[in-house]
Amino acid sequence: MKYRTIFAVMLASLLLAGCHSAPKQEEKITLKDALKDKFLIGVAINTDQAAGRDTASVRVIVENFNAVVAENCMKSEVIHPEEDRYDFILADQFVDFGERNDMYITGHTLIWHSQLSPWFCVDEEGNNVSPEVLKERMQNHIHTIVGRYKGRIKGWDVMNEAIEDDGSYRQSKFYQILGEEYIPLAFQYAHEADPDAELYYNDYSMAHPEKREGVVRLVNQLKERGLRIDAVGIQGHLQKDFPTLEEFEKSMLAFAETGVKVMITELDMTALPSPFRNVGAEVSANFEYTQEIDPYPHGLPAEMDKAWNDRMNDFFKLFLKHADIITRVTVWGVADEDSWRNYWPVEGRTDYPLLFDRDHQPKPVVNMIIEEATK
Ligand code: 9MR
């Protein structure tokens, strides 16, 4: 009898304990929480997002990312449309957004041949300006912009896409007028304007062996001259089957070997067939629309979707493996509908290149990354 009573009391207390303990709430770990000890996880934002108009995207940005970069509003044609006129409205909104949300803010980009203000390298007749004039313009441009955001923008893509895929210098207007000297000058001017800011060289197609070597040469030259360069930005505009992880990894390691950090700065991966192989992000390349190269206007077939998620996950596994040399991984856009991939290299396709889908829902790879980073 005595034992039966004890047993009943034990059973009752067990049941009671079960009832009282609150059902275990699944703690939701977000991308930025999962990666917090590995590297910054950033996103490029557009002006609707920075101004808070695109509320669905803002929710995703704030919840998942701890770094932002301006997708377009700091490019010279926007921020410095005429020699004597700067337009800081959109750039200010972008920086305010980053600060309000306590994010690491990167400026993109100071010197780039593309989206360049038409006046920048020529005189009123359209002829190239002299080296002295171009130096002065570059100095003014860089000092004014970097100076305005001194202490607020923590890192700058000082130089964008100056090396060709074969490792040679791009024959941009800057190069035609100043030769290779324009690159060290840009880094010097940026450092003068904000000595505490990190300075980066940023480019695409970095897994090409010749380009890898060209960029390594450039970084070494800058370092030999005692100029500040903190990291190389590998843009990371991936295709379904190019580049290989092995070549990508070789470039990460080769850049780190020069003594700088590595950042993946513009990550996305097209799910669509490419009209040409080994494509980087050459914005001037454009191809005519045909239906065969826009095969998934209503959604990716399941097996393609799985392949996309697995390959993106493989890249994040690679980044996690080398977290000691990587300081930031930034995706080039919030949700699929925002991506430049929908209109390049063919206008008007439906692509699926980002971590969040058109309904702003995380793709499976987001959880895969979280699991990998927290295991
Ligand atoms: O995503 C940007 C797109 O909205 C612009 O139309 C395009 C114009 O040049 O630039 C895109 O961003 C580019 C970045 O600034 C530099 N690397 C390649 C990116 C994709 O073209």
Side-chain angles (χ1 to χ4, degrees):
M1 183 69 181
K2 196 175 160 200
Y3 289 111
R4 239 188 274 160
T5 313
I6 293 171
F7 178 72
V9 170
M10 277 171 65
L11 189 67
S13 44
L14 270 176
L15 284 171
L16 271 174
C19 293
H20 282 297
S21 71
K24 262 213 165 149
Q25 275 259 305
E26 272 293 310
E27 279 268 317
K28 195 176 160 205
I29 305 176
T30 65
L31 209 48
K32 67 177 178 188
D33 293 338
L35 293 168
K36 74 175 185 313
D37 299 325
K38 312 291 184 187
F39 39 70
L40 290 165
I41 179 81
V43 60
I45 65 172
N46 62 32
T47 49
D48 275 348
Q49 292 154 353
R53 286 187 291 274
D54 179 355
T55 51
S57 290
V58 169
R59 213 174 322 116
V60 174
I61 297 166
V62 171
E63 195 172 303
N64 293 281
F65 299 96
N66 48 24
V68 276
V69 59
E71 184 178 7
N72 283 306
C73 71
M74 291 187 148
K75 293 172 179 173
S76 73
E77 68 175 8
V78 183
I79 204 169
H80 195 178
E82 292 168 54
E83 185 169 7
D84 298 325
R85 187 168 68 85
Y86 287 86
D87 184 344
F88 290 116
I89 294 176
L90 298 173
D92 283 356
Q93 273 176 4
F94 160 74
V95 175
D96 286 346
F97 179 93
E99 284 185 334
R100 260 200 323 279
N101 294 296
D102 204 14
M103 291 170 154
Y104 191 95
I105 307 174
T106 301
H108 173 86
T109 170
L110 294 171
I111 298 294
W112 187 28
H113 67 281
S114 183
Q115 286 184 293
L116 176 68
S117 261
W119 60 268
F120 211 116
C121 297
V122 292
D123 62 19
E124 274 161 14
E125 276 83 53
N127 300 315
N128 284 357
V129 292
S130 69
E132 283 318 307
V133 170
L134 186 56
K135 274 192 212 170
E136 213 181 294
R137 289 182 180 181
M138 280 177 58
Q139 187 184 40
N140 177 296
H141 179 78
I142 295 174
H143 278 183
T144 306
I145 298 168
V146 176
R148 182 179 181 89
Y149 301 109
K150 186 167 188 251
R152 302 173 69 196
I153 289 196
K154 305 292 183 205
W156 282 97
D157 288 340
V158 175
M159 182 62 53
N160 203 35
E161 303 171 5
I163 303 286
E164 294 283 6
D165 289 0
D166 66 2
S168 65
Y169 284 100
R170 180 187 288 274
Q171 300 289 316
S172 65
K173 285 252 179 228
F174 293 102
Y175 185 83
Q176 286 164 15
I177 299 170
L178 283 167
E180 52 194 76
E181 195 55 23
Y182 83 96
I183 303 177
L185 280 173
F187 278 87
Q188 179 199 316
Y189 297 149
H191 187 56
E192 284 164 5
D194 185 353
D196 294 329
E198 292 199 340
L199 307 181
Y200 316 130
Y201 176 76
N202 191 49
D203 213 328
Y204 59 77
S205 291
M206 296 284 242
H208 286 308
E210 296 83 8
K211 184 145 188 172
R212 175 192 307 144
E213 285 159 25
V215 172
V216 164
R217 271 196 302 276
L218 173 64
V219 175
N220 283 333
Q221 279 163 14
L222 293 171
K223 289 180 85 69
E224 275 157 25
R225 296 169 67 147
L227 290 162
R228 176 167 187 167
I229 172 163
D230 296 273
V232 168
I234 300 178
Q235 291 186 4
H237 295 296
L238 308 172
Q239 294 181 66
K240 302 186 286 183
D241 53 2
F242 186 84
T244 62
L245 283 135
E246 289 72 26
E247 291 303 316
F248 201 97
E249 182 175 34
K250 281 186 200 161
S251 295
M252 289 167 40
L253 295 174
F255 299 148
E257 186 79 358
T258 67
V260 297
K261 292 291 185 189
V262 171
M263 303 180 311
I264 315 302
T265 51
E266 303 186 12
L267 184 65
D268 55 23
M269 184 167 70
T270 182
L272 301 182
S274 171
F276 54 93
R277 255 201 89 68
N278 302 359
V279 66
E282 177 54 57
V283 281
S284 59
N286 264 292
F287 293 81
E288 208 174 308
Y289 179 91
T290 59
Q291 238 165 17
E292 301 89 77
I293 53 174
D294 185 23
Y296 317 117
H298 309 298
L300 271 188
E303 80 275 14
M304 307 282 306
D305 188 52
K306 181 171 180 323
W308 187 95
N309 279 281
D310 286 346
R311 180 160 153 87
M312 185 55 96
N313 187 40
D314 287 343
F315 272 93
F316 268 91
K317 277 191 188 158
L318 180 67
F319 306 153
L320 286 166
K321 173 178 166 197
H322 294 296
D324 55 328
I325 58 169
I326 294 187
T327 51
R328 171 166 60 90
V329 175
T330 286
V331 287
W332 201 244
V334 180
D336 281 344
E337 66 178 353
D338 304 319
S339 172
W340 72 297
R341 293 282 204 170
N342 294 303
Y343 53 90
W344 183 91
V346 183
E347 183 78 39
R349 298 198 295 177
T350 304
D351 206 346
Y352 304 86
L354 297 170
L355 301 184
F356 290 81
D357 66 21
R358 283 176 166 71
D359 296 321
H360 296 90
Q361 295 306 307
K363 296 185 184 175
V365 69
V366 172
N367 263 332
M368 291 155 95
I369 299 166
I370 292 172
E371 269 171 31
E372 184 71 25
T374 50
K375 78 180 183 196

